[in-house]
Amino acid sequence: MEKLSDDLLFQKLNNVEENYKYIEEKIAEAAVKSGRQRKDITFLAATKTVQPAVINHAISLGLRYIGENRVQELLSKYDEYDLNNAQLQFIGRLQTNKVRQIIDKVSLIQSVDSAKLAGEISRRAIENGIVMDVLVEVNVGQEESKSGVQIEMLDELIGEISEMKGISVKGLMAIPPICETSQEIVKYFEKMHKLFIDISTKKTDNVSMNILSMGMSDDYSEAIMCGANMVRVGSALFGKRDYTK
Ligand SMILES: *Cc1c(COP(=O)(O)O)cnc(C)c1O
């Protein structure tokens, strides 16, 4: 990752500060509109392609959760994150053979979508003497190319994970399809909220539905209105991503 020039970095930090305050206000507004309070919603910043200096600036403003979605990138930035003041989570597609590399570095893996992956997390967590908290990622739009478990298989997968040691299901995560209108995306958010409620009603051992992670830069307010209590925001905070660097 290239270092930003001093001028560019200064400009960038100012923008992040402005964006951070704006998003905080929007989250608070949606929380109240949906009958909750600001403190009931977790603001996680999706930090892919973002320089650690910029991430740490957001942490200095009050950000408490960051999420990476590539193992390689997480490892290369790991020593620079200010993890005394924020928790690092994994939010991307995770290959079984890479679990070992992050198991002792993240506080939550949001993207578990198969028993095979859960089994490997369980094995590595036991090795490390920890219990890893996870979310089950749901392919709510039934898209072929997308990660996430199919809705019909969700109960079965949660049942299987609940029997595993070293891993604990804390909720659900989704990345809905790209939608033209907010009415369209709201349907997916509502569907997720219904699944979330249905599963919590079942009260399975070792499974809690504390976290419903959905909503990104373009739709986090809508997601909160539909019951999300964690949003994952990237470009609205850090600006448009530059994948060329
Ligand atoms: C990048 C990313 C986000 C944030 O996307 P933005 O549209 O930039 O807010 C959220 N969730 C996951 C899993 C991501 O990879």
Side-chain angles (χ1 to χ4, degrees):
M1 201 172 269
E2 234 173 72
K3 284 267 175 287
L4 295 168
S5 73
D6 287 350
D7 282 357
L8 261 176
L9 182 62
F10 182 75
Q11 184 59 49
K12 183 112 197 148
L13 297 187
N14 274 330
N15 292 343
V16 167
E17 188 155 347
E18 217 169 277
N19 295 342
Y20 181 80
K21 287 181 188 154
Y22 177 80
I23 296 165
E24 271 294 326
E25 271 173 39
K26 286 285 173 194
I27 291 176
E29 203 178 289
V32 169
K33 268 196 205 160
S34 63
R36 291 172 293 172
Q37 296 172 23
R38 169 65 193 89
K39 67 171 172 53
D40 299 321
I41 315 293
T42 301
F43 173 8
L44 174 137
T47 50
K48 58 180 171 276
T49 77
V50 181
Q51 307 272 341
V54 178
I55 300 171
N56 290 344
H57 184 64
I59 294 172
S60 78
L61 300 171
L63 182 73
R64 289 295 167 261
Y65 297 86
I66 60 176
E68 290 286 352
N69 70 333
R70 289 188 189 85
V71 170
Q72 224 41 55
E73 184 175 343
L74 181 154
L75 295 176
S76 75
K77 287 150 78 174
Y78 185 73
D79 289 337
E80 294 176 74
Y81 301 124
D82 175 14
L83 294 182
N84 290 321
N85 294 303
Q87 287 189 27
L88 174 62
Q89 306 189 351
F90 194 77
I91 61 176
R93 189 175 289 205
L94 182 55
Q95 286 171 282
T96 324
N97 62 5
K98 299 216 167 130
V99 170
R100 187 176 54 82
Q101 297 176 277
I102 62 161
I103 194 77
D104 58 345
K105 298 187 174 60
V106 299
S107 61
L108 178 74
I109 298 174
Q110 294 210 10
S111 39
V112 174
D113 61 0
S114 73
K116 182 174 170 238
L117 176 58
E120 176 65 7
I121 292 171
S122 157
R123 197 160 77 86
R124 296 300 181 182
I126 293 167
E127 256 176 29
N128 278 265
I130 59 167
V131 175
M132 179 54 69
D133 289 340
V134 303
L135 305 183
V136 173
E137 181 178 350
V138 181
N139 185 347
V140 68
Q142 326 257 330
E143 294 170 285
E144 241 169 62
S145 60
K146 273 265 180 79
S147 48
V149 63
Q150 297 301 322
I151 292 172
E152 315 84 71
M153 305 297 288
L154 178 59
D155 280 345
E156 188 182 322
L157 177 59
I158 288 179
E160 283 175 296
I161 302 175
S162 72
E163 313 254 298
M164 297 177 188
K165 301 256 181 296
I167 180 169
S168 180
V169 174
K170 296 295 180 196
L172 303 180
M173 182 270 233
I175 309 171
I178 294 171
C179 295
E180 296 289 325
T181 64
S182 71
Q183 290 101 299
E184 235 184 300
I185 197 142
V186 158
K187 279 193 197 131
Y188 292 112
F189 290 150
E190 284 173 344
K191 197 170 198 175
M192 283 302 302
H193 186 244
K194 183 172 184 311
L195 292 168
F196 181 74
I197 297 296
D198 288 350
I199 296 165
S200 23
T201 313
K202 286 182 193 140
K203 296 196 192 308
T204 309
D205 280 349
N206 190 28
V207 172
S208 62
M209 284 290 127
N210 295 334
I211 304 175
L212 179 55
S213 170
M214 59 185 190
M216 316 202 297
S217 288
D218 292 334
D219 49 35
Y220 60 90
S221 292
E222 284 92 340
I224 293 168
M225 294 300 291
C226 295
N229 57 18
M230 179 185 280
V231 292
R232 307 177 311 269
V233 180
S235 46
L237 177 61
F238 297 117
K240 205 164 166 288
R241 278 184 287 279
D242 184 352
Y243 287 101
T244 61
K245 290 209 176 119

